[in-house]
């Protein structure tokens, strides 16, 4: 399973920055698209950074992720920590959130850092949207982002290397134009020059969806689109947008 070995290295590799940016951006979105309550579900929560930050702002949050290793990292973060709200974590596939959570129990649901792109079939994406609609209260809000085809095809580099003490990360990517999927092989080396390095490999596949199809699937799931924003702005997407943030409300 992806993120099994990588989970312990996820935050230190720099990935945590995205969740911190979303925390600030989410406040902007909620100022324009308010919700009545303070109950939040963070789907594909990873190591829990966004969930914990929102809990410290007084929200009552559940973070859900299919990776037990990521959830262990999230739980370790909150050990002994005092928060202004509350947070808990659940191991579950986001397509089947209703297996672990009651219907109509959240005012806000989020799914960020292109986690939705990992659902590579329309059926899976529709099932996820249906689960989101089911766990939201009527009038509850969904905020999620997706990488665009332009980004995956033209701006996600073919090879990237990140180096830091004790860890080297190599990313090699290939875009399949016919299936609109990007396959990234992540190779990590953990250790040091004295004791040597342990290698692990993960294969990450993301699919780009036409915005019109995403909107159709949301509507079929019972989510009414309120806005589409260019990444971390309140402006509409452009042809070269790298990421679209979707804002939708349960009907």
């Amino acid at each position: 399973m992806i993120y099994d070995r990588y989970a312990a290295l996820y935050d230190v590799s720099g990935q945590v920055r995205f969740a911190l940016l979303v925390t600030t951006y989410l406040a902007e979105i909620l100022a324009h698209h308010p919700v009545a309550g303070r109950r939040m579900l963070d789907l594909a929560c990873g190591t829990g950074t966004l969930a914990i930050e929102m809990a410290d702002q007084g929200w009552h949050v559940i973070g859900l992720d299919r990776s037990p290793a990521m959830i262990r990292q999230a739980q370790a973060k909150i050990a002994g920590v005092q928060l202004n709200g509350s947070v808990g974590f659940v191991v579950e596939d986001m397509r089947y959130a209703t297996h672990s959570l009651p219907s109509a129990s959240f005012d806000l649901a989020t799914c960020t850092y292109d986690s939705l792109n990992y659902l590579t079939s329309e059926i899976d994406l529709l099932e996820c949207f249906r689960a989101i609609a089911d766990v939201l209260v009527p009038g509850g809000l969904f905020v999620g982002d997706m990488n665009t085809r332009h980004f995956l095809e033209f701006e996600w580099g073919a090879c990237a290397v990140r180096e830091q003490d004790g860890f080297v990360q190599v990313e090699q990517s290939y875009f399949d134009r016919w299936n609109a999927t990007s396959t990234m092989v992540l190779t990590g080396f953990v250790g040091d020059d004295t004791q040597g390095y342990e290698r692990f490999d993960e294969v990450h596949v993301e699919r780009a969806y036409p915005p019109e199809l995403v909107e159709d699937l949301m509507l079929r799931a019972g989510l009414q689109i309120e806005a589409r924003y260019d990444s971390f702005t309140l402006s509409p997407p452009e042809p070269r947008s790298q990421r679209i943030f979707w804002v939708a409300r349960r009907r």
Side-chain angles (χ1 to χ4, degrees):
M1 180 180 291
I2 58 174
Y3 295 115
D4 187 22
R5 184 67 178 85
Y6 190 41
L9 303 158
Y10 187 83
D11 287 356
V12 298
S13 70
Q15 307 290 355
V16 69
R17 290 192 297 267
F18 192 92
L20 297 176
L21 287 171
V22 171
T23 303
T24 301
Y25 182 51
L26 197 53
E28 293 185 62
I29 290 180
L30 290 173
H32 290 78
H33 306 271
V35 296
R38 304 281 284 181
R39 298 169 299 172
M40 172 180 165
L41 172 63
D42 186 25
L43 295 158
C45 68
T47 60
T49 300
L50 176 60
I52 295 168
E53 291 290 325
M54 295 299 289
D56 203 34
Q57 294 180 21
W59 288 77
H60 300 285
V61 187
I62 295 295
L64 179 149
D65 200 285
R66 67 177 294 187
S67 167
M70 294 290 256
I71 291 297
R72 285 194 295 270
Q73 293 296 315
Q75 291 170 330
K77 287 183 181 180
I78 60 172
V81 175
Q82 296 295 317
L83 300 169
N84 293 314
S86 63
V87 64
F89 294 101
V90 175
V91 177
E92 183 61 87
D93 190 309
M94 61 185 179
R95 294 169 295 175
Y96 313 122
T98 52
H99 291 182
S100 301
L101 301 169
S103 299
S105 52
F106 296 96
D107 307 289
L108 172 67
T110 57
C111 186
T112 63
Y113 213 175
D114 45 271
S115 298
L116 292 170
N117 292 99
Y118 280 78
L119 301 177
T120 56
S121 79
E122 295 176 25
I123 293 174
D124 286 340
L125 189 57
L126 177 60
E127 285 301 302
C128 183
F129 289 153
R130 283 175 172 161
I132 290 167
D134 187 74
V135 299
L136 285 172
V137 298
L141 195 72
F142 169 64
V143 179
D145 69 75
M146 300 184 78
N147 279 333
T148 64
R149 176 171 182 140
H150 174 79
F151 174 72
L152 292 180
E153 185 171 3
F154 298 110
E155 299 195 35
W156 194 344
C159 185
V161 179
R162 306 181 191 185
E163 296 184 62
Q164 60 194 74
D165 288 343
F167 180 54
V168 177
Q169 178 175 317
V170 180
E171 302 171 8
Q172 299 178 83
S173 299
Y174 168 76
F175 185 78
D176 184 333
R177 295 179 59 197
W178 302 110
N179 296 315
T181 58
S182 180
T183 300
M184 187 266 283
V185 178
L186 186 155
T187 301
F189 299 90
V190 185
D192 56 50
D193 293 341
T194 302
Q195 300 295 323
Y197 290 82
E198 176 190 356
R199 171 177 172 167
F200 67 89
D201 297 277
E202 296 184 354
V203 178
H204 296 247
V205 181
E206 295 194 17
R207 177 181 172 185
Y209 287 89
E212 297 78 13
L213 176 56
V214 176
E215 184 166 350
D216 177 65
L217 294 176
M218 284 190 180
L219 290 172
R220 288 169 58 187
L223 296 169
Q224 184 67 46
I225 310 297
E226 290 198 356
R228 290 187 295 164
Y229 292 129
D230 194 358
S231 185
F232 294 109
T233 75
L234 296 177
S235 301
E238 300 177 350
R240 292 179 176 270
S241 292
Q242 297 184 358
R243 183 184 304 272
I244 295 175
F245 273 85
W246 292 85
V247 183
R249 201 174 292 272
R250 179 186 169 182
R251 296 197 294 264

